[in-house]
């Protein structure tokens, strides 16, 4: 493989559980076979998907200013954009903060279930390919940072409160980050490849 930091070409051997491989030139972490990676992906993907569903079910943010109160749900924040004549923006936001993360987590649950059972379920290779392809398009954490930035601005105009869905979305983002960063992609591919060769 090629080192992401310094472009050195390195032959990385298969790693035992707990082993890590670093670039000999720049010490960049190339690969890691972390313990219980599949179990972690499976548990955090299920929890993350649950939190994502919860985050669409309850009030997300509450505003009160000059005696008037209003709460919005996550879905309302998207439909408001449609009613403001910004349907393409609404579609992009819905796809990048709900649809793609949801599909990613379902795919991760599917692949980790197959690998835990030590056999390929129908379409495991295709699902893994899609999961890895969708990963960079999930904007959940960017959305969360965006909310916090606008919170700082809005708080001077109105009292803002975070609803239950907001906290569910925060927990979903944490789970999503663990699922994205914990497993080693190379190890996943090796595992799938060795199963499909059997
Ligand atoms: Zn390097």
């Amino acid at each position: 493989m090629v080192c992401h930091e310094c472009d050195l070409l390195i032959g990385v051997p298969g790693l035992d559980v707990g082993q890590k491989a670093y670039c000999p030139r720049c010490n960049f972490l190339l690969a890691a076979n972390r313990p219980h990676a599949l179990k972690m992906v499976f548990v955090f993907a299920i929890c993350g998907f649950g939190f994502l569903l919860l985050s669409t079910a309850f009030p997300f943010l509450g505003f009160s200013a000059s005696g008037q109160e209003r709460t919005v749900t996550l879905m309302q924040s998207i439909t408001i954009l449609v009613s403001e004549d910004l349907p393409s923006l609404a579609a992009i936001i819905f796809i990048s903060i709900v649809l793609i993360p949801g599909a990613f987590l379902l795919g991760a649950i599917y692949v980790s279930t197959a690998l835990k059972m030590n056999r390929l379920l129908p379409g495991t290779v295709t699902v893994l390919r899609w999961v890895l392809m969708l990963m960079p398009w999930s904007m959940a954490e960017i959305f969360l940072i965006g909310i916090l930035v606008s919170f700082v601005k809005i708080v001077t105009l109105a009292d803002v409160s975070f609803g239950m869905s907001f906290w569910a979305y925060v927990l979903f983002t944490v789970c999503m980050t663990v699922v994205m960063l914990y497993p080693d992609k190379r190890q996943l591919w090796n595992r799938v490849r060795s199963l499909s060769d059997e």
Side-chain angles (χ1 to χ4, degrees):
M1 63 186 290
V2 178
C3 172
H4 287 285
E5 282 293 306
C6 71
D7 293 340
L8 184 69
L9 265 178
I10 313 146
V12 180
L15 300 175
D16 289 332
V17 175
Q19 277 189 325
K20 291 176 179 177
Y22 293 92
C23 172
R25 187 156 72 186
C26 70
N27 222 21
F28 179 74
L29 177 64
L30 297 168
N33 191 350
R34 295 189 177 92
H36 313 300
L38 282 178
K39 208 182 280 172
M40 291 280 282
V41 168
F42 183 73
V43 171
F44 276 85
I46 287 185
C47 293
F49 193 73
F51 285 129
L52 180 63
L53 289 182
L54 282 178
S55 72
T56 59
F58 300 100
F60 197 80
L61 286 177
F63 305 91
S64 66
S66 44
Q68 285 198 322
E69 273 189 52
R70 179 155 192 205
T71 56
V72 280
T73 65
L74 188 64
M75 285 303 150
Q76 276 172 340
S77 67
I78 293 165
T79 50
I80 286 169
L81 286 174
V82 178
S83 60
E84 295 282 328
D85 233 10
L86 293 164
S88 47
L89 188 61
I92 290 170
I93 291 177
F94 177 70
I95 289 168
S96 59
I97 70 165
V98 178
L99 207 62
I100 288 181
F104 170 82
L105 290 176
L106 284 179
I109 293 169
Y110 190 75
V111 173
S112 57
T113 306
L115 294 183
K116 268 163 68 77
M117 287 160 57
N118 250 327
R119 63 195 190 87
L120 291 185
L121 298 172
T124 305
V125 177
T126 317
V127 174
L128 179 59
R129 195 170 288 137
W130 271 93
V131 162
L132 295 178
M133 212 167 69
L134 287 177
M135 210 155 73
W137 295 99
S138 163
M139 304 286 165
E141 64 286 5
I142 295 164
F143 176 65
L144 213 54
I145 293 167
I147 292 171
L148 294 176
V149 170
S150 41
F151 170 75
V152 173
K153 293 194 171 183
I154 298 170
V155 86
T156 54
L157 306 170
D159 286 331
V160 184
S161 59
F162 296 120
M164 201 151 97
S165 279
F166 174 82
W167 298 113
Y169 201 84
V170 171
L171 291 173
F172 147 73
T173 312
V174 172
C175 293
M176 181 90 186
T177 310
V178 172
V179 175
M180 285 200 285
L181 298 184
Y182 196 78
D184 189 80
K185 279 130 220 149
R186 219 173 58 103
Q187 302 286 340
L188 283 181
W189 270 125
N190 286 347
R191 191 88 183 255
V192 167
R193 221 171 277 141
S194 67
L195 286 175
S196 57
D197 288 344
E198 276 167 16

